[in-house]
Amino acid sequence: MKKLVSLAVLVVMLSILATGCGSSSTADKKGEAPKYNFRLAETHPADYPTTLGDKKFAELVLERSKGRIKIDVFPAAQLGEEKSVIEQVQLGAIEFTRVSSSPLAEFNKQFGVYSLPYIFDNDEHVWNFLNGEYGQKMLDNLEKSKLKGLAYYSSGSRSFYTKKPVKSVADLQGLKIRVQQSKVNMDLISALGASATPMPYGEVFSGLQTGVIDGAENNSPSYLTANHFQAVKNFILDGHQRVPEVLMISKVTWDKLSEEDRKLIKQAAMDSVATQRDLWDKFEKESMDKLKAAGVTITEVTDVKPWQAAVKPVIDKYSADYKDDLAAIAAARKK
Ligand code: GTR
């Protein structure tokens, strides 16, 4: 009898699982079977605000195409780390991704401008630029890198977190700091007197735990959700960068779509931005509270000038390469 009951429980559980996972679904219920089944690669966990932005995008596309275009979001780097994902998107092996502009810069040099330190004053300045003609044109310019930029998402500002407390630039001297895989980032860390260690995002936690690196840098939501705060507990809010996130489609995929579907996809991406930004703003605050509650020591930077002075050589090195881009960014400040 007991055996029979557990068998029945098992059958019920399996059928629940089957309905939950079946490709089912939303598309079928909405009408036609999907003509396209695309994948979107995301590095963050399923409930991260940016992943929820991706999902909003996929939902709008499914709805507006009446189930013809289905995009499945694969969170938590299931399809690989950002650098390898970008390569696969260039080839059309993965159709969509959302990545940071930093690793993207290795594929499209212009995006490196976003990694330059202290070029934006605040979030408003960032969005003035991104929503302006120049920022939008940059998304189109990704075409020469076999990619097509659809929209920008928020990612706040990046700051350092370290094993030993850092209270000033001087405290960073000689520390091994993980950076995103891009040249501008390497130069930035060197200018601050630390030793830059590029590595994929997914390896940072164990790097911090084992002491391969002494620290890393990111926004508060990433510091929290990637569990880096469990390994190192000193967070200094120097806000050295504001690096926008980019939602993209493979140019290979884009070229196969009808003009009508392209418009639908572009519009859905643009319309998903409000959701991502709203969730982002809320979660940014929430993550600071959670970090504090978890015993992280947070150091405010009241005077950012010594930090700006220390990284000036990076601006000097790249100012000729990014002359027009920097001028457009500066102009977005005045608006
Ligand atoms: C995050 C960003 C990710 C990833 C990560 C990193 O802020 O959202 O896409 O680039 O930083 O540091 O690798």
Side-chain angles (χ1 to χ4, degrees):
M1 182 64 188
K2 223 175 177 185
K3 260 192 193 155
L4 262 181
V5 171
S6 31
L7 193 69
V9 170
L10 190 72
V11 169
V12 171
M13 278 173 66
L14 282 176
S15 63
I16 291 173
L17 266 178
T19 5
C21 308
S23 62
S24 71
S25 48
T26 357
D28 309 343
K29 276 180 223 139
K30 290 233 156 74
E32 301 169 43
K35 175 176 179 194
Y36 298 111
N37 243 306
F38 294 140
R39 298 188 299 168
L40 188 157
E42 169 60 68
T43 208
H44 289 297
D47 55 352
Y48 193 90
T50 308
T51 315
L52 297 175
D54 305 333
K55 288 184 184 164
K56 179 74 192 176
F57 162 60
E59 187 188 306
L60 291 175
V61 170
L62 186 70
E63 227 173 74
R64 294 175 185 177
S65 69
K66 302 199 171 51
R68 265 188 322 107
I69 310 175
K70 186 163 189 283
I71 303 170
D72 289 314
V73 175
F74 289 81
Q78 285 172 44
L79 301 183
E81 296 286 347
E82 289 187 330
K83 189 166 171 265
S84 105
V85 162
I86 299 172
E87 283 162 2
Q88 294 184 71
V89 173
Q90 281 185 317
L91 297 171
I94 297 175
E95 294 87 3
F96 292 87
T97 190
R98 189 292 313 159
V99 292
S100 159
S101 296
S102 262
L104 189 53
E106 298 304 291
F107 299 82
N108 183 291
K109 197 172 166 214
Q110 198 180 16
F111 274 72
V113 72
Y114 292 130
S115 295
L116 290 175
Y118 300 111
I119 53 169
F120 291 113
D121 298 343
N122 48 37
D123 217 38
E124 198 193 339
H125 183 192
V126 173
W127 280 101
N128 257 346
F129 177 75
L130 300 181
N131 284 334
E133 206 181 309
Y134 203 99
Q136 293 298 311
K137 186 91 189 57
M138 280 178 66
L139 291 177
D140 295 335
N141 290 349
L142 283 171
E143 280 203 17
K144 43 177 189 276
S145 313
K146 304 195 197 101
L147 303 161
K148 176 93 193 153
L150 295 172
Y152 291 106
Y153 280 168
S154 270
S155 77
S157 66
R158 299 179 73 103
S159 291
F160 290 100
Y161 41 86
T162 46
K163 190 150 220 116
K164 67 161 212 180
V166 166
K167 302 280 174 207
S168 64
V169 176
D171 293 335
L172 277 173
Q173 302 303 302
L175 297 189
K176 271 187 265 148
I177 301 288
R178 177 268 173 171
V179 284
Q180 289 168 295
Q181 292 159 293
S182 99
K183 283 190 205 75
V184 178
N185 282 313
M186 306 271 293
D187 288 333
L188 171 60
I189 300 300
S190 308
L192 290 166
S195 154
T197 313
M199 67 169 68
Y201 190 48
E203 289 171 23
V204 181
F205 177 69
S206 67
L208 291 168
Q209 248 192 347
T210 55
V212 169
I213 43 176
D214 303 309
E217 46 76 62
N218 220 312
N219 47 46
S220 56
S222 295
Y223 178 35
L224 176 80
T225 58
N227 289 324
H228 298 170
F229 75 100
Q230 284 176 2
V232 296
K233 287 201 158 1
N234 297 287
F235 195 24
I236 175 155
L237 305 180
D238 61 284
H240 50 270
Q241 286 168 326
R242 291 175 181 271
V243 188
E245 314 281 33
V246 185
L247 183 61
M248 315 186 291
I249 178 172
S250 169
K251 178 81 169 42
V252 178
T253 311
W254 184 257
D255 288 344
K256 287 185 194 151
L257 294 172
S258 67
E259 194 49 45
E260 196 187 319
D261 285 347
R262 288 182 191 166
K263 274 200 196 118
L264 186 155
I265 286 173
K266 173 74 187 173
Q267 193 58 48
M270 298 299 283
D271 291 346
S272 71
V273 174
T275 301
Q276 192 271 347
R277 285 186 65 184
D278 186 42
L279 294 172
W280 176 267
D281 290 347
K282 287 187 190 125
F283 192 64
E284 209 177 23
K285 288 189 194 86
E286 198 182 312
S287 44
M288 284 305 282
D289 293 343
K290 286 190 171 155
L291 289 168
K292 275 180 210 152
V296 168
T297 304
I298 295 169
T299 305
E300 304 274 347
V301 173
T302 41
D303 184 10
V304 91
K305 287 198 194 76
W307 292 82
Q308 288 173 326
V311 296
K312 180 144 186 308
V314 185
I315 300 282
D316 293 344
K317 177 172 174 185
Y318 290 99
S319 59
D321 290 0
Y322 293 115
K323 189 167 169 275
D324 296 343
D325 314 281
L326 286 170
I329 288 172
R333 178 180 287 127
K334 289 173 208 136
K335 279 181 200 159

